[in-house]
Structures are given as C-alpha cells and as structure tokens.
Amino acid sequence: MVRTVSIGEADVLVIGLTSSDDGPAIAPADAFGDVLDAETRATLLTALTAVGAKGKGEELTRVPAPAGLGVDSVLAVGLGALDKIDAEQIRKSAGVAGRALSGVDTAVTTLSGLDLGAAAEGFYLGAYTFTPYKGKSAPKPEETPVKRVEFLVPDPGFGEEALFRAQAVAEAVATARDFVNTPPNDLFPAEFADRAAELAKAAGLQVEILDEQALADGGYGGILGVGKGSSRPPRLIRITYAGGDKKVALVGKGITFDTGGISIKPAQNMENMTSDMAGAAAVIATTLLAARLSLPVTVTATVPMAENMPSATAQRPGDVLTQYGGTTVEVLNTDAEGRLILADAMVRAGEDEPDYLIDVATLTGAQMVALGTRTPGIMGTEEFRDRVARLSQSVGENGWPMPLPAELRADLNSKIADLANVTNHRWGGMLSAGLFLKEFVTDGLQWAHVDIAGPSYNTGGPFGYTPKGGTGVPVRTLIATIEDIAAE
Ligand code: BES
Ligand code: MN
Ligand code: ZN
C-alpha cells in the first residue's frame, strides 16, 4: 500500500458515509479538507441515497463513478454518526471495504483523512485471505485480495510513521492468522518451531529450540506428559528480541492439535482444535513485531508446543507428572493439557527475571461460556490485568478483566500430588485454570493471563476487519501493552 495526493488512475474510490436523522452525508476528510468538489459530492450523495445508502456502520454501497472522477466506481462504506466515529469504527469500516474490494487492482480512499493509521490497519486486516490449500479450487481473480490501496494524503510525507506501524501490525496479525489457519497435519510441534525459528532468524533475533531430549534433560514434565501420546514429539522454542532494559516475558499455548488425549473430546467441532496454538502464534508474531518496531524493551517468547493425542504412549487420567521447577501435578483430565505445558514455560520464563509476564492461551471452553466468542478473559495481578484489559479495549480486541477467586484454589488440591490439573466441578472453569497457572508465576512478578479460546478463531462469517478462521487476537493487545511499557 502506498500514499498518493490525487485520485489518479485507481479503479475504485472508497469514501466514508456518515448517518444522521437528516440522511447520510459524505464523511469529511479532516486531515486534508475535501478532495472531492462540491458538485461531485452532491452527485455522489444523490446516487448513494437513491440506492438506499444510510451510512450505518460498515454498510457497503457501490455506485458508478460520476464522469471525470478518474475511477470506475465508488464504494461508500458506512461510519455511523459523525460524532461517534473513533479509530475502531474506522478500522472496522475500512476492514469491510478491504474485503469487498477483492478482485480489484487498485483502490484509492479518503478514509485516510479521518485517521490514516486506523484506515490502513483496517484495510490490511480486512483484505486478508488464506489460500495455500485451495488446490483445484484456486481462487478466481474476483476472489483475490485487492492488489493495492492508495491513501489520499495532503502531501507525500504525511503520516509516514502511522502508515509504517499499521503495515507492521497488520503483517504481524497476518503471521499469527497464517499459523492458526495452517492445518494440523502440516503444523506439528517440530515444524511449528522450525517455521517460527526461520522467521525469527530472518529478523536477526536469538532463537533456542529444545527438542524432546533437551526437554527430558531439563525436566519439562508438563510438556513431555502432554506430548507423549503423539508420534510427533514436543518442542519448547525461545525467541528473544533484546531491545532494552525493561523485560517482558511472553508465553503462548502451542497445542498444534487438541484431541483431548485419553479424556477424548467429542467428534463434533473437534476440527476447530487446529486453533489450539493461537496463543503461541500470537506471542511469536508479537515478538517479531516488537523487533520490527524497534521498541526499547527486551521481549522473550517462551513457547511450549505439543500435540495432544490419545495412544498407547499417551498419559493417563491419574498419572502424576513433575512440572519444570519441581511441582507435582495429578493429571485428572488429559484434556486440561494447556495449563500443563504453560506451567513449564512460565517457570522457565520467570528464571529470566522479567518485569512483566503475559501468557496467552486458548485455555478453556468456559471462557466462551462466561464472555462469548469475541471477548478475551484477562486474569492475573490486579493492576497489570486491568492495564492490559484497558489497552485491549483501546485497540478493539476488547479483553475484559476477570477475577481469580481465592476460594476456588482449594478445589485444585490433589490427594497424592501438589496440585490437580482440574477441579471436580465446572463452576468458574476459566478462573480455576487461571488459579492453576498462578501457582507457577514467580512471586512479585506483574502477570496477565489472557484466555482467547473464542476470540482467536472465528468459526462464523467474517465481520469488520475479522475474517473467518484465525483472527490474530491478541497480537494488537500485546503490542499495545509492550508499547505502553516502553513509554513508562
Ligand atoms: N483447548 C481447549 C479449550 C478450548 C475449547 C479452546 C474450545 C477453544 C475452543 C482446552 O484444552 C480444553 O480442552 N479445556 C477443557 C478444560 C476442562 C477439561 C477443565 C475445557 O474447556 O473443556
Ligand atoms: Mn484440551
Ligand atoms: Zn487445549
């Protein structure tokens, strides 16, 4: 995507349309005044109104371009009431426009006049597609993403930084989405680690991969216990971007497929468990992004990867394993596997003495029972939890603070080990998972635990800038948090 100062030779012009009681209006391009003359605006508004455009949020209306405008058609995207437009509305509207532009070579937009960064982020995120597995049904030209979107700006240097950040952020989100969308036959632990390592090395970052032997030598009993049912052994990958004195540790759940293990899941919807590595994908993509943005912070991703399979070598309900660091855990349910691999990784991450720890996981179905499919649950130490939630809301990922009720902790007591991996009831399942993880957080460390079981994977139709499949949540929450820490 590029910037331009004139409408030029684009095929489609994308404009914003606001709504009001007096009918729709063409959104102003505040940053540089009106690009369209009064007559063109009037002609366009008449045409748009004639075909029923109202300017409601994310509404799409396409009309032939008035003569002399230099484009074939005009795509109007609704922004809602003018006084309620915020960055998230611009991202969402740009997102639906970006998706609607499939098959178009070049589009040009005035949405950059409202907020260049938000508009660019929205177009990039909305235009995302994942097609490497399309084989014989390869996408037709009209199904391919728009090749080029130009943003009208008052002068060529305008908004350079915002545009750079938007592109970097959107590409990081796409990296996370690509990992999540890659099917589990191709993305198994060793392959996932190799692909992540390749990206990290290309970005000049430090990489360390522990294979099954190194995990055994190191005492990573949680990762090994979960991984031992699979013919494809587990990994722990560590990626470090050394950008400054402040240290942020990221940990992400990397279950490349979750059958539940011996406590096997029902067949219905089990295919969605290809997304059980979305936390891993997000923290890997965020670490690369922190480097790309040259943030003055050191970020280390510690990412456990395993495939949770039932087999003759799988762990059993009732097995006791020893986590990295020595805590023993009675595995009462092999489907509560995420917390077992995370516990090892969180203890390892704590050894680096970070200032902050954020773990991200598709951890519990209970997250969706509590908050629905689009709202991440955020737990942890209160102040940092609230800070991450606030930042998450500011970027439109909408994480919400949740408690870790002390009284639930006793329900994780085991008769024979230090801890059990599940309670014997289903109340507050997201919170008891958080309480389990809390046992593995170094004392005094500021910690946030983000449960993204629903928000990381969209099983419904596309909406706003969010496609079907991997969403890339919570990459934008994580980078906003790291930027906030960098600004301390
Ligand atoms: N990966 C699942 C959680 C999940 C469910 C993510 C649906 C996305 C969509 C996790 O490993 C799991 O199976 N959790 C169990 C925990 C239970 C056994 C305490 C669950 O939520 O049922
Ligand atoms: Mn599970
Ligand atoms: Zn899982």
Side-chain angles (χ1 to χ4, degrees):
M1 296 206 201
V2 293
R3 70 209 58 208
T4 183
V5 286
S6 68
I7 293 175
E9 297 300 301
D11 304 299
V12 181
L13 169 67
V14 181
I15 61 169
L17 203 62
T18 59
S19 65
S20 80
D21 293 344
D22 303 330
I26 300 207
D30 288 340
F32 46 77
D34 292 325
V35 200
L36 308 172
D37 60 49
E39 195 190 325
T40 307
R41 292 160 67 86
T43 312
L44 268 175
L45 190 59
T46 305
L48 290 164
T49 315
V51 293
K54 302 271 187 277
K56 294 225 166 70
E58 295 120 85
E59 168 197 85
L60 288 173
T61 315
R62 201 157 166 179
V63 292
L69 199 55
V71 292
D72 299 330
S73 64
V74 175
L75 178 67
V77 60
L79 291 160
L82 181 60
D83 58 351
K84 295 219 171 66
I85 298 175
D86 57 8
E88 177 64 1
Q89 182 61 61
I90 296 164
R91 279 190 291 268
K92 289 196 289 192
S93 296
V96 298
R99 191 165 46 252
L101 290 172
S102 57
V104 171
D105 278 339
T106 306
V108 59
T109 185
T110 57
L111 288 177
S112 43
L114 290 167
D115 183 333
L116 175 63
E121 209 173 296
F123 271 102
Y124 269 111
L125 294 173
Y128 173 88
T129 59
F130 183 75
T131 53
Y133 290 85
K134 279 297 188 185
K136 290 186 175 167
S137 58
K140 301 181 186 70
E142 64 269 26
E143 294 165 349
T144 59
V146 54
K147 290 204 182 74
R148 181 183 175 90
V149 177
E150 300 194 342
F151 297 97
L152 289 164
V153 289
D155 61 78
F158 179 89
E160 205 147 329
E161 221 169 285
L163 200 59
F164 173 77
R165 184 185 181 280
Q167 179 163 350
V169 167
E171 283 177 12
V173 170
T175 298
R177 289 175 178 176
D178 284 350
F179 274 133
V180 172
N181 290 334
T182 301
N185 54 326
D186 281 350
L187 199 79
F188 47 94
E191 177 68 16
F192 190 10
D194 285 349
R195 290 191 192 188
E198 200 176 308
L199 292 176
K201 283 178 188 159
L205 308 188
Q206 303 160 31
V207 181
E208 177 192 12
I209 297 180
L210 304 193
D211 64 10
E212 65 272 34
Q213 189 57 55
L215 290 168
D217 295 345
Y220 292 86
I223 300 171
L224 288 166
V226 172
K228 73 187 196 176
S230 174
S231 60
R232 306 191 289 182
R235 293 287 183 269
L236 179 74
I237 181 170
R238 306 216 332 126
I239 301 172
T240 299
Y241 159 62
D245 294 338
K246 274 263 157 53
K247 286 196 257 181
V248 180
L250 301 178
V251 171
K253 173 179 173 181
I255 295 292
T256 60
F257 194 77
D258 182 13
T259 64
I262 297 297
S263 312
I264 198 163
K265 288 181 180 295
Q268 180 110 60
N269 300 329
M270 199 201 275
E271 68 279 8
N272 293 340
M273 287 300 109
T274 183
S275 68
D276 214 16
M277 33 55 70
V283 305
I284 292 163
T286 302
T287 306
L288 298 167
L289 177 57
R292 188 158 168 202
L293 298 176
S294 308
L295 298 181
V297 180
T298 291
V299 180
T300 299
T302 302
V303 188
M305 299 170 170
E307 185 177 49
N308 191 21
M309 296 290 274
S311 76
T313 60
Q315 65 176 344
R316 291 151 289 259
D319 280 2
V320 174
L321 54 75
T322 303
Q323 302 277 175
Y324 183 76
T327 303
T328 59
V329 174
E330 184 183 12
V331 181
L332 293 175
N333 187 325
T334 65
D335 197 11
E337 84 296 342
R339 59 196 77 181
L340 301 174
I341 67 167
L342 289 169
D344 282 0
M346 287 166 65
V347 174
R348 175 63 191 87
E351 289 177 351
D352 299 336
E353 300 184 348
D355 298 289
Y356 300 93
L357 168 66
I358 311 176
D359 79 83
V360 186
T362 49
L363 203 57
T364 66
Q367 178 274 315
M368 288 181 275
V369 177
L371 293 170
T373 57
R374 297 188 189 177
T375 304
I378 309 189
M379 291 140 277
T381 53
E382 284 182 22
E383 196 182 302
F384 189 51
R385 171 200 68 189
D386 290 347
R387 183 171 167 193
V388 175
R390 182 171 43 73
L391 289 161
S392 183
Q393 287 158 38
S394 76
V395 300
E397 290 188 329
N398 301 330
W400 202 260
M402 298 297 282
L404 292 174
E407 73 276 10
L408 282 175
R409 169 60 186 82
D411 302 345
L412 290 169
N413 288 341
S414 160
K415 288 198 184 69
I416 66 164
D418 297 335
L419 270 178
N421 78 326
V422 291
T423 67
N424 67 357
H425 58 76
R426 57 197 191 85
W427 312 122
M430 169 170 56
L431 316 178
S432 55
L435 281 162
F436 180 93
L437 295 179
K438 185 174 180 229
E439 296 295 314
F440 301 91
V441 178
T442 312
D443 281 339
L445 182 54
Q446 302 218 59
W447 166 57
H449 159 57
V450 188
D451 194 334
I452 49 161
S456 63
Y457 195 64
N458 177 19
T459 57
F463 58 92
Y465 48 75
T466 305
K468 204 173 156 54
T471 64
V473 172
V475 167
R476 293 180 306 115
T477 296
L478 295 175
I479 203 67
T481 303
I482 296 169
E483 285 174 328
D484 200 55
I485 289 167
E488 272 171 6

